[in-house]
Amino acid sequence: MLTYLWAHYTYEGTPFDMWLKASFHTQRSYYDRVVHFAFGLFWTYPFRELLTRAAALRGFWSYIIPVAVCFSCSACFEIIEMGAAFVAGQKGLEYVGLQGDVFDTQKDMGLGLAGAVISMCMLAWVLWRKKVKKRQ
């Protein structure tokens, strides 16, 4: 039932987007940008945990590879989204929600990358602080 209630919304029509527009007095929908940033921010850590536990990955690469995975997932989603828009015609273009911004795809992927980098930098800083306190 809940899926049915939310499935009919486009990016520009979600209640959260209405709140964003009213709170920040914007005409453009920034909901998809918030979602892409949150994807990078919140999914990088689980990817890192999976890699450190399943592949015993340690050190520098345990921070870089999860960022690359999140970035590539963002890119794959944007490719699939554009393919769906191409196949669906006008309804697909409404779903994608470019809103006249030809660089929307690149900005979305960039925000996913920014969220992933911030997540891994925060984690590296927390683990570094823990290591420093342990030495004292």
Side-chain angles (χ1 to χ4, degrees):
M1 178 76 176
L2 185 61
T3 305
Y4 172 74
L5 294 174
W6 288 90
H8 68 278
Y9 288 117
T10 62
Y11 283 137
E12 294 126 20
T14 60
F16 181 73
D17 185 55
M18 300 295 183
W19 174 82
L20 277 174
K21 286 179 183 175
S23 297
F24 296 103
H25 308 291
T26 62
Q27 297 298 316
R28 189 191 190 288
S29 170
Y30 287 102
Y31 176 71
D32 65 329
R33 303 253 169 97
V34 171
V35 169
H36 280 277
F37 179 78
F39 174 78
L41 190 69
F42 296 125
W43 277 101
T44 311
Y45 181 75
F47 284 143
R48 182 182 184 273
E49 283 296 308
L50 181 68
L51 286 171
T52 56
R53 293 172 193 268
L57 194 62
R58 300 282 181 257
F60 175 77
W61 292 108
S62 70
Y63 298 100
I64 298 301
I65 292 177
V67 170
V69 168
C70 274
F71 188 57
S72 64
C73 287
S74 288
C76 286
F77 176 78
E78 291 296 329
I79 291 168
I80 292 168
E81 192 178 56
M82 287 319 244
F86 180 72
V87 170
Q90 183 61 34
K91 287 287 185 188
L93 290 176
E94 289 173 14
Y95 167 74
V96 171
L98 293 176
Q99 302 172 63
D101 186 1
V102 295
F103 294 110
D104 183 67
T105 299
Q106 291 84 352
K107 290 175 184 175
D108 289 347
M109 289 175 11
L111 282 168
L113 178 64
V117 168
I118 288 171
S119 176
M120 288 296 99
C121 287
M122 288 172 42
L123 178 64
W125 182 76
V126 166
L127 294 177
W128 176 77
R129 291 289 298 162
K130 188 185 277 189
K131 194 176 187 181
V132 167
K133 285 190 179 209
K134 191 184 264 189
R135 285 189 207 160
Q136 294 176 353

